Amino acid sequence: MNTRQRQPQAAVPGAGDYLIASKKCELMNLQYFLQMGQLVQCISNLVHSLQRERGASNVLLGSGGCKFHHQRQQIVAESDRLRREFEQALTAIHQQMTVHPVSSRLLNQIASALHGLADLAELRGAVDRQTISAHDATESYSSRIHRLIAVVFEAADTAVDPGIAGLLVALVHLMNGKELCGQERAVGSAGFSSGRVDSALSRRMVHLVEAQERCFEVFASFADEDSRALWQQVRSHSREAEIGRLRGLGCSSGRVRQLDPQLADRWFAVMTERMDELKRVEDALEGCFHARCIERYTEARHSLSHQETLVASLDQQGGARQPVLILCESGDEATGQPGDAWASDGVGQRFGRSIFDLVQQQSRRLQAMSDELQAAKEALEDRKIQEKAVLLLMEHRRIDNDEAHRLLRKLAMNQGKKLPEVARALLAMADVLG
Amino acid sequence: MNTRQRQPQAAVPGAGDYLIASKKCELMNLQYFLQMGQLVQCISNLVHSLQRERGASNVLLGSGGCKFHHQRQQIVAESDRLRREFEQALTAIHQQMTVHPVSSRLLNQIASALHGLADLAELRGAVDRQTISAHDATESYSSRIHRLIAVVFEAADTAVDPGIAGLLVALVHLMNGKELCGQERAVGSAGFSSGRVDSALSRRMVHLVEAQERCFEVFASFADEDSRALWQQVRSHSREAEIGRLRGLGCSSGRVRQLDPQLADRWFAVMTERMDELKRVEDALEGCFHARCIERYTEARHSLSHQETLVASLDQQGGARQPVLILCESGDEATGQPGDAWASDGVGQRFGRSIFDLVQQQSRRLQAMSDELQAAKEALEDRKIQEKAVLLLMEHRRIDNDEAHRLLRKLAMNQGKKLPEVARALLAMADVLG
């Protein structure tokens, strides 16, 4: 019996090999996220440039082609350069990403983002020829930007290391907040330039301000200390007070108000400054992400080589065990008593204990990581649930995105509950009500 | 601008390529689960044989080495054969599993299971020499079986296809239920052989019966119709009534009761029959799992080749677009009006629309799959949470596993809540209370 058992064991990997494989698996995943960090940085840069391009296009269209003509061309060239960088980063990670068996959602989101970029030339042509309204151009750019940010969301969703997942959650919320800020700039610009703010426009601004705040809250709860400190600096800058005043003019609801169209330039300038500052926070966060990936990768590498040494030394002890075993077995045949010395020599047990300790340790570590990951996953899940609830409301009540968001907020306020909770309840009800 | 844009697009993969990559990713994952099915089948067979070996060892030890000597040797040989099959299945999937970047938990669980099998010879030697108590032998076998079943649990946790994940959830709960049935057989045998059932033993039996029921409930809610029908047959067999009567004798709580020791043989026989029947349900479920994997794999393959054809034909249209573009661009240089014919020729748009439709379709499909997957994931999560809550109670109150389960059930009953809900609340409180 023992003889039969030992042979396959020599041929197939044992407990120690699978422990090492488990560690290697973690290492591989960290390596993947190191490269993913580059892709995310490229997306962040490209999004920022597209936001600038959207702003410049808006001003160009709003001024009947007079303003920002030259600046816009420079920004377009910059967007193209950053787009090529994004595509290069994609190529660099392509192989790793396509053998990752759980990234179908990520890959499809990349397809969607690339598709958005493929007909950018059409959109730009329409802006050049002024055959598109500022509103439609804004929508067009926003949808492309949204698809790029969604790639970061999916990347965050595939992370298994809690530290890495947390920073990606912070980043995706910061990117979303900044994008809402960009939309607020566009909406405000349109209002200020026209010299009048109606209630629909002011409602939209209120929504964009509130949605931004919620994104920044999630960002702050997952970001590293340095990025959070930088974010506090942005918040306490005197520019924010001016933005607050201008927002007050734009957001005061109810009737139509007449405004000084000169405010439009000032609004555009301060909001652009704000977005540039937010980009600096984003860069700091990405720097921290990169550093953390390297740190975790180095740790995991050390831990792996340490374990490899341990397992190898235990294997040698295991190897030394073999002759003892054979001795027992030959004695065995003679006496008919199988493997008497087996348990008493203790080597087997000592060997077993140590490997098992390592396996248990790895098991506890993986469990702790998975517990810690929970918070990051929940933040992503909350976001998904809210978006679904908003879509549901839009369809059922035939209202637009803003109104749906407002309705959801109102429900939460009335019930004294948090937004994700209400969103979840709403979706559950929809399942029941059909 | 357009010229610059087109060049990198030829070099880097485009939207269509990523759509195909997303589909391939799904296919790869299904292929992985096809092989995982073989591993799971081997685990199910090995577990069943180890359960029989445990039972035979118990009877042997209980009879002072008189009973089941020959049968046990046959079962041991069968276990060894099935163990080799398990190791072969592991070797077959080894490569695929170790490049799967999210399987560190699965790999570590395999290490733990293999470790349990590595010193099986020691345990058997101790049973042969009768230097181990029936109770300790049972515990030893149970821990090894538990680690093997935990491999199936981790495999279920890595599934992304809801149909496949659901069947694995059904399977892991059926395996757990059957294992609890095996433990009940051991506990009952000990009680009936000794001729007396004390309150500790009867409490343990009540716990094992209840825990089995809960496992079978989850099994039934995720299993396919055929396996469920087979399960109903097992339930309605006359043997179940007899088991119920014997359980009644064993479970009646309170005082110590004297029983006819002859009942032990009958109990062992009917419970063994029950476990063999449960194994048949397991086999049916595994057959269904295999069939579903093949079905899903075939579907995904067809869908992939269909999409490849579509994308290729769209790419050709895209290729036909190129001269049009160049024409526009040369016209562009002459007139200073960039790409006028671009939007109006419509080819670009038609091309764009179709690829985007495919991407959107894949996106909706993946979202629907992920929604559907939720239920399976929650069942696994519930199980994890309950196990954690039980561990917490064991540590805090210094009680054993059974008592902790009982306390949790009592809490749920008193509060009129479901077990996972109470377990979750308990863990949340522990976080707060430290």
Side-chain angles (χ1 to χ4, degrees), chain A residues 1 5 12 15 18 22 25 83 91 94 100 104-105 108 111 115 121 129 340 349 352 359 362-363 371 388, chain B residues 2 5 12 15 18 22 25 76 80 83 91 94 100 104 108 115 122 129 340 352 359 362-363 371 388:
Chain A
M1 188 175 78
Q5 256 178 344
V12 304
Y18 276 95
S22 170
C25 201
R83 176 182 167 184
T91 312
H94 187 77
H100 205 298
S104 14
R105 291 167 63 103
N108 195 57
H115 177 267
R129 294 186 306 275
D340 234 27
Q349 277 217 325
V359 171
Q362 167 79 342
S363 167
D371 290 351
K388 267 201 226 165
Chain B
N2 278 337
Q5 257 178 345
V12 304
Y18 276 96
S22 170
C25 200
V76 162
D80 281 339
R83 176 183 167 184
T91 312
H94 187 77
H100 205 298
S104 12
N108 196 56
H115 177 269
E122 270 181 83
R129 294 186 307 277
D340 235 27
V359 171
Q362 167 80 341
S363 168
D371 289 352
K388 266 201 225 165

Side-chain angles (χ1 to χ4, degrees), chain B residues 289-302:
Chain B
F289 178 80
H290 185 69
R292 191 170 297 174
C293 281
I294 289 188
E295 188 188 306
R296 290 284 301 108
Y297 180 79
T298 313
E299 273 171 26
R301 245 203 122 79
H302 280 155

Side-chain angles (χ1 to χ4, degrees), chain B residues 61-81:
Chain B
L61 290 170
S63 67
C66 304
K67 282 188 191 168
F68 267 45
H69 184 76
H70 182 64
Q71 289 99 315
R72 180 173 164 268
Q73 282 194 320
Q74 280 183 325
I75 299 172
V76 162
E78 177 68 0
S79 293
D80 281 339
R81 191 183 67 76

